[in-house]
Structure formats: C-alpha cells, structure tokens
Amino acid sequence: MRREDIIRAVIIIVIIIFLAININGINSFLSFKTDDTVEFGHSIAVVPQAWNSTDELNLTNQSKTPHAITNGYVFIDHWDDWPEDHITSLSVSKFKSMENGGYKVLKNENSTISGVNVSKQYFSNPSRDTDEIWNHIGVNYVFQKEDTNYSIQVHYFTTADYNNTTFVKEIDDRIEDDMSNIHNTEYNGFVSGVRGVFNYITNHVPH
C-alpha cells in the first residue's frame, strides 16, 4: 500500500474506534446495573450471585487481600498493576511471599480464556496438607486486560478437588466470568486504540 493509502486507512480506523467506544459508553450509561462489586487498586470486579465479599462476611483474615470474594469454600483474590503479564520467576517470588508454610509449584499452564492469553500456576502450601487440614492447593491466573496486568488467585482446595476435572473446570469457568467483569477504571479504550494504531504505523509504514 502507498503511504497515503495507509494514512487514509488509519484515519478511518481511528474514527471507527471512536464511534465504537462512545456507543459502548452510551449503552453503559443507559444500563441500570445492580451487581455488587469489589474495588482493588484502580480496578473493580463483580461479586457473582451466591458469592460474597470477605468484608461482608468478616472473613478478611482468611483471604490475601481485603477485597476478596468467597462462596464459603474457596476464596478469590485480585491484584492489578501486577509486574508482568505472564508467570515467570518474578510472579513465583511474589506468590511465595504470600504463603506461610511454603510454596510448591504443582503445574504450569498457558491457555486462552475469553480471547485473553492467561498464564496459570497450580501450587500447594505443604503446611496445610495435614491430617486436620486438607485444603492446601491453589491456582494463580496472570493476564493483561485494558492496559493493566492482573493476577487472580483461587485458594484453597483439596487434592481430591485438584484431581477432579469437573471441579477444575468449574474454577476455570468462574475465573472466565470474573475476568470478563474485571475493569480498569482508568482505562480509556479510545486512547488505547489510537496508541495501538500509532504503534502499528511506527512499525510498518516505510520511512
């Protein structure tokens, strides 16, 4: 394509992005939402039906953050501004620092959830694997959404749960819903879209 054609196409793309963002904004304004939410950092997450925030139930002593949610069996904690968009030794170090009693990696996975690349890590806290306490396993999800790196942790469940494919799938389904309802309150879709177009031009248009 000629440079002029590329620039013309970029202008059209920017206009389309602008219209799409504003239409979404109008729809959001007109939609009456009654969902309960939890706030963390500069982000929010929806509390699903049959779940509660740990603050509501006075269970913050059992979660890693004051903005966790629970169904009475497992807890889900959220972090925004995570230092990376996939799990490396940096994330593992942070996860380890949250565990009193050890952190043993059980399995690493990469998957796509709702079109988003997700890095997963199953882990065990050995100190919880006793004759009295059986729930010692958790799973971390790290991903990027709306120009922010997020981490979600589900904890704790038993070895039997971990080996139960139905239970594991239910966790993934819960996190898929969770991810779709997490929003960066500082995110500007139009600015982000224009930035992406600008980066594309910088990398592809001949100088």
Side-chain angles (χ1 to χ4, degrees):
M1 292 179 66
R2 294 181 306 167
R3 184 183 181 89
E4 293 78 8
D5 294 333
I6 294 175
I7 293 174
R8 189 177 299 112
V10 167
I11 292 173
I12 293 173
I13 291 171
V14 170
I15 293 173
I16 291 173
I17 292 173
F18 177 78
L19 292 175
I21 294 299
N22 278 275
I23 288 173
N24 288 336
I26 292 171
N27 289 338
S28 297
F29 178 77
L30 294 177
S31 300
F32 181 70
K33 294 183 179 293
T34 58
D35 293 327
D36 291 331
T37 59
V38 289
E39 297 182 8
F40 57 102
H42 52 80
S43 303
I44 60 171
V46 171
V47 180
Q49 290 186 356
W51 289 64
N52 296 94
S53 69
T54 50
D55 185 54
E56 288 179 293
L57 301 178
N58 196 29
L59 292 175
T60 53
N61 62 322
Q62 297 187 42
S63 60
K64 308 288 178 66
T65 65
H67 41 251
I69 60 176
T70 181
N71 63 353
Y73 183 60
V74 295
F75 292 79
I76 300 179
D77 285 286
H78 307 86
W79 295 268
D80 60 7
D81 289 335
W82 196 253
E84 54 187 2
D85 62 2
H86 63 287
I87 296 174
T88 70
S89 58
L90 178 59
S91 288
V92 174
S93 177
K94 288 182 69 67
F95 293 138
K96 283 183 177 179
S97 69
M98 301 177 195
E99 299 296 325
N100 294 320
Y103 184 92
K104 178 183 178 182
V105 176
L106 299 178
K107 182 170 60 174
N108 292 300
E109 291 181 354
N110 292 311
S111 61
T112 301
I113 300 178
S114 295
V116 176
N117 294 325
V118 179
S119 189
K120 294 168 57 179
Q121 183 173 89
Y122 291 89
F123 69 93
S124 168
N125 181 329
S127 69
R128 296 180 61 89
D129 188 12
T130 68
D131 292 335
E132 293 80 25
I133 304 174
W134 296 347
N135 55 337
H136 62 102
I137 296 177
V139 56
N140 298 303
Y141 299 75
V142 175
F143 59 95
Q144 184 184 77
K145 179 183 178 182
E146 296 180 355
D147 293 343
T148 297
N149 295 332
Y150 288 100
S151 177
I152 301 173
Q153 183 178 106
V154 182
H155 60 93
Y156 295 98
F157 44 93
T158 67
T159 299
D161 294 328
Y162 176 65
N163 292 324
N164 184 334
T165 55
T166 300
F167 180 86
V168 170
K169 184 179 184 306
E170 286 177 353
I171 289 181
D172 277 345
D173 290 345
R174 174 70 269 144
I175 297 304
E176 181 175 11
D177 291 341
D178 197 31
M179 287 174 55
S180 66
N181 289 304
I182 286 177
H183 295 290
N184 172 10
T185 58
E186 297 176 353
Y187 176 70
N188 186 312
F190 177 68
V191 171
S192 180
V194 171
R195 186 186 303 120
V197 172
F198 176 79
N199 290 337
Y200 179 86
I201 295 173
T202 303
N203 295 327
H204 294 83
V205 174
H207 299 287

